[in-house]
Amino acid sequence: MRGQFTGWPEQAMDVLWQLQGEPTHATRERYRADRERLVRQPMIALLNEVADTDPRYEDFSVWHYRTDSWWWQHQGAVIRLGRKIEIGLRFSLDGLRIQGAWWYPDPGQVDMFREAVASEGSGRELSAIVEDVRKRGYDISGDVMKRPPRGYPTDHSRTNLLRHRSLIAARPLGCEEWLHTPEAVDRVLSAAADLDALLMWLVRHVKRAA
């Protein structure tokens, strides 16, 4: 049911501004309650609304602050779509950022990924998907080997993908007025749609390793 999320209050930016640099323990404690109410709780409301639109998005977590200053300055969240496959969101003074990622793979998942990349059908499909995502403004990155993996031709047409041991597509969504309105839900859903083909390819081909 839509209507939970009304946007991040403008005061959320004021709180994050106070937590810049290396805030003291006293400063963190002074702003703890405001940060929870103005920064973290809106992220929870946002992801509840996103989950209401598609049951695939129901498995999500919104991080607490931990002890490192960075976590106080950046509100992170993830939506889990498969084993080590997720949508990540981050809210900070820079605005909202999204990424689709397969990373920190289980033993055996990298081999499964490479086999699918090397296969003509699934490999060509992924190559086209990655190119489309790149054209939509996403940076493509990950843990990439300097050389092609052993057992695969060095001149393979998809050698750049074969060198990946993780795959991430990310871009900033912006820091405009819509962040303070319910429109942020639609912005996130639109970006999730951009990433859907990539993430569903990974869900199909990079399953939990035995």
Side-chain angles (χ1 to χ4, degrees):
M1 180 177 178
R2 298 296 290 267
Q4 304 174 54
F5 177 78
T6 58
W8 273 278
E10 293 188 7
Q11 298 96 317
M13 295 300 190
D14 296 334
V15 171
L16 293 178
W17 183 265
Q18 297 296 330
L19 294 169
Q20 287 190 103
E22 291 294 333
T24 64
H25 176 74
T27 298
R28 293 181 191 180
E29 290 306 307
R30 185 181 312 129
Y31 290 100
R32 179 184 291 274
D34 286 343
R35 191 197 182 287
E36 174 68 23
R37 178 173 57 88
L38 299 170
V39 178
R40 184 169 178 271
Q41 288 300 320
M43 180 70 87
I44 294 172
L46 171 73
L47 290 190
N48 271 306
E49 289 209 24
V50 168
D52 285 344
T53 70
D54 191 322
R56 293 180 303 164
Y57 300 150
E58 290 179 349
D59 182 10
F60 68 82
S61 296
V62 178
W63 305 138
H64 283 282
Y65 329 134
R66 308 188 187 182
T67 57
D68 192 292
S69 298
W70 191 91
W71 293 98
W72 285 74
Q73 298 153 2
H74 300 80
Q75 180 58 63
V78 295
I79 303 169
R80 302 176 189 88
L81 299 174
R83 183 65 180 171
K84 303 302 179 78
I85 301 165
E86 62 191 34
I87 295 171
L89 291 169
R90 189 170 75 210
F91 175 75
S92 69
L93 284 172
D94 294 324
L96 193 60
R97 178 183 182 273
I98 192 169
Q99 70 177 28
W102 161 62
W103 54 357
Y104 306 110
D106 288 336
Q109 282 192 315
V110 174
D111 289 338
M112 298 175 77
F113 173 80
R114 289 173 179 164
E115 289 171 10
V117 169
S119 175
E120 275 305 299
S122 54
R124 286 179 181 271
E125 181 187 9
L126 179 62
S127 184
I129 289 170
V130 169
E131 185 57 29
D132 178 67
V133 170
R134 196 192 308 273
K135 287 179 179 177
R136 292 173 185 268
Y138 291 79
D139 292 327
I140 306 298
S141 63
D143 178 13
V144 183
M145 298 172 61
K146 293 182 179 179
R147 299 171 58 85
R150 292 181 182 180
Y152 293 93
T154 57
D155 61 350
H156 194 286
S157 60
R158 291 181 293 280
T159 188
N160 286 342
L161 284 172
L162 284 170
R163 291 189 294 117
H164 277 261
R165 291 183 290 204
S166 65
L167 186 59
I168 303 166
R171 76 175 177 91
L173 297 183
C175 192
E176 286 77 42
E177 282 302 309
W178 56 260
L179 271 177
H180 309 302
T181 75
E183 184 185 341
V185 176
D186 295 319
R187 297 275 183 156
V188 170
L189 289 171
S190 177
D194 290 342
L195 297 167
D196 190 65
L198 174 62
L199 294 169
M200 290 303 101
W201 186 98
L202 290 163
V203 167
R204 290 195 306 273
H205 295 287
V206 186
K207 304 176 182 67
R208 181 191 295 271

